[in-house]
């Protein structure tokens, strides 16, 4: 059973479009993180959200943590080819717990 | 500041052999975690070390082991390799333990078991 379910698994859209990817769980997490991974490299942290309902913005990327701290979303405005990559969400149920990763959303932005 | 380095980057082994992978964390980082990444299962947590002590362990068989040295460098060992052990093995370091501490990942070691 995957504790963090990410959807969609794959997404291919045209440059300039908006998109949202989701990270859902039936469990409560103390924090959730979003990473982007490009081929041949390790994941790179984009953001950490810790408070239910929290919204964080990183240029064209908007991250939201659900009120109940069971889910999160990543919205990209006006997607660009440089946004292409594997987006991973990860979380820990408590501060000292191990971090669990979702399987990721593979995003491809067509120029 | 140098990032997390992992050696070797690529490795080919045959079933039954053993392998040791190495990870050098960012200078000053005391926590090192290891993950296995496969297309089918995604990123799965192997173990975490902090100040030479194993803090957390994932659900992997005892063939997977690790250790951390006093300089925070870490190694993981896989004995009696199986075909299913083929994967990208990632190491991540952070200043201290805790799920909210930023983890910095290395580029990984690509292990192929034939």
């Amino acid at each position: 059973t995957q504790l963090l379910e990410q959807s969609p698994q794959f997404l291919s859209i045209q440059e300039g479009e908006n998109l949202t990817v989701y990270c859902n769980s039936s469990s409560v997490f103390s924090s959730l993180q979003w990473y982007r991974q490009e081929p041949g490299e390790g994941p790179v942290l984009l953001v950490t959200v810790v408070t239910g309902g929290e919204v964080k913005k990183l240029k064209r990327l908007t991250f939201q943590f659900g009120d109940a701290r069971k889910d999160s979303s990543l919205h990209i405005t006006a997607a660009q080819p440089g946004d292409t990559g594997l987006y991973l969400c990860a979380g820990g149920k408590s501060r000292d717990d191990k971090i669990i990763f979702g399987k990721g959303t593979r995003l491809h932005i067509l120029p | 500041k140098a990032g997390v380095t992992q050696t070797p980057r690529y490795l080919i082994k045959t079933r039954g052999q053993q392998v040791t992978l190495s990870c050098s964390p960012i200078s000053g980082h005391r926590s090192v975690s290891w993950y296995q990444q496969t297309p089918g299962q995604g990123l799965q947590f192997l173990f975490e070390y902090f100040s030479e002590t194993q803090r957390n362990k994932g659900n992997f068989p005892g063939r997977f082991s690790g250790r951390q040295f006093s300089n925070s460098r870490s190694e993981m060992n896989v004995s009696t390799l199986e075909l299913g052990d083929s994967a990208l093995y990632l190491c991540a370091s952070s200043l201290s333990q805790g799920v909210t501490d930023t983890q910095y990942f290395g580029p990984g070691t690509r292990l192929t078991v034939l």
Side-chain angles (χ1 to χ4, degrees), chain B residues 32-45:
Chain B
V32 173
S33 298
W34 288 90
Y35 296 86
Q36 180 195 66
Q37 187 174 30
T38 60
Q41 297 300 318
L43 255 161
Q44 293 188 286
F45 175 81

Side-chain angles (χ1 to χ4, degrees), chain A residues 2 30-31 33 35 37 40-43 45 48 50 86 88 91-99 101-103, chain B residues 9 35 37 40-43 45 48 55-59 88 90 96-103 105-108:
Chain A
Q2 193 72 17
S30 65
S31 67
Q33 301 170 334
Y35 292 81
Q37 184 177 20
E41 300 179 10
L45 180 68
T48 299
V50 297
L86 178 66
L88 297 157
K93 293 183 182 179
S94 65
R95 189 184 187 282
D96 295 324
D97 198 6
K98 62 187 180 185
I99 294 177
F101 278 80
K103 290 189 178 182
Chain B
R9 290 293 310 275
Y35 296 86
Q37 187 174 30
Q41 297 300 318
L43 255 161
F45 175 81
E48 178 195 4
R55 292 282 306 170
N56 275 305
K57 190 176 188 304
N59 298 323
L88 180 68
L90 291 160
S96 61
Q97 61 195 30
V99 296
T100 57
D101 291 324
T102 300
Q103 289 193 105
F105 282 83

Side-chain angles (χ1 to χ4, degrees), chain A:
Chain A
T1 304
Q2 193 72 17
L3 286 179
L4 282 171
E5 299 282 349
Q6 290 191 244
S7 61
Q9 282 187 300
F10 303 95
L11 186 58
S12 182
I13 64 170
Q14 292 291 138
E15 181 178 359
E17 293 185 358
N18 302 330
L19 67 106
T20 302
V21 297
Y22 301 92
C23 175
N24 295 307
S25 177
S26 57
S27 302
V28 175
F29 285 84
S30 65
S31 67
L32 274 180
Q33 301 170 334
W34 284 92
Y35 292 81
R36 182 170 71 206
Q37 184 177 20
E38 299 186 29
E41 300 179 10
V44 175
L45 180 68
L46 297 172
V47 76
T48 299
V49 286
V50 297
T51 305
E54 182 176 4
V55 177
K56 282 192 173 180
K57 292 193 175 184
L58 185 65
K59 296 183 181 177
R60 295 175 293 99
L61 278 60
T62 302
F63 305 86
Q64 185 161 8
F65 200 10
D67 290 341
R69 290 186 288 129
K70 292 183 178 181
D71 54 82
S72 182
S73 64
L74 159 59
H75 181 79
I76 300 179
T77 304
Q80 298 178 0
D83 296 327
T84 293
L86 178 66
Y87 287 81
L88 297 157
C89 70
K93 293 183 182 179
S94 65
R95 189 184 187 282
D96 295 324
D97 198 6
K98 62 187 180 185
I99 294 177
I100 299 166
F101 278 80
K103 290 189 178 182
T105 292
R106 192 164 294 279
L107 177 63
H108 185 58
I109 309 300
L110 303 166

Side-chain angles (χ1 to χ4, degrees), chain B residues 41-89:
Chain B
Q41 297 300 318
L43 255 161
Q44 293 188 286
F45 175 81
L46 280 157
F47 24 67
E48 178 195 4
Y49 288 89
F50 179 78
S51 294
E52 301 178 68
T53 301
Q54 188 178 86
R55 292 282 306 170
N56 275 305
K57 190 176 188 304
N59 298 323
F60 278 82
R63 300 186 296 108
F64 292 81
S65 62
R67 59 178 176 168
Q68 186 180 33
F69 302 97
S70 58
N71 61 358
S72 293
R73 191 177 69 85
S74 178
E75 287 181 348
M76 68 161 282
N77 184 77
V78 188
S79 62
T80 319
L81 284 166
E82 300 177 359
L83 294 178
D85 297 333
S86 293
L88 180 68
Y89 290 87

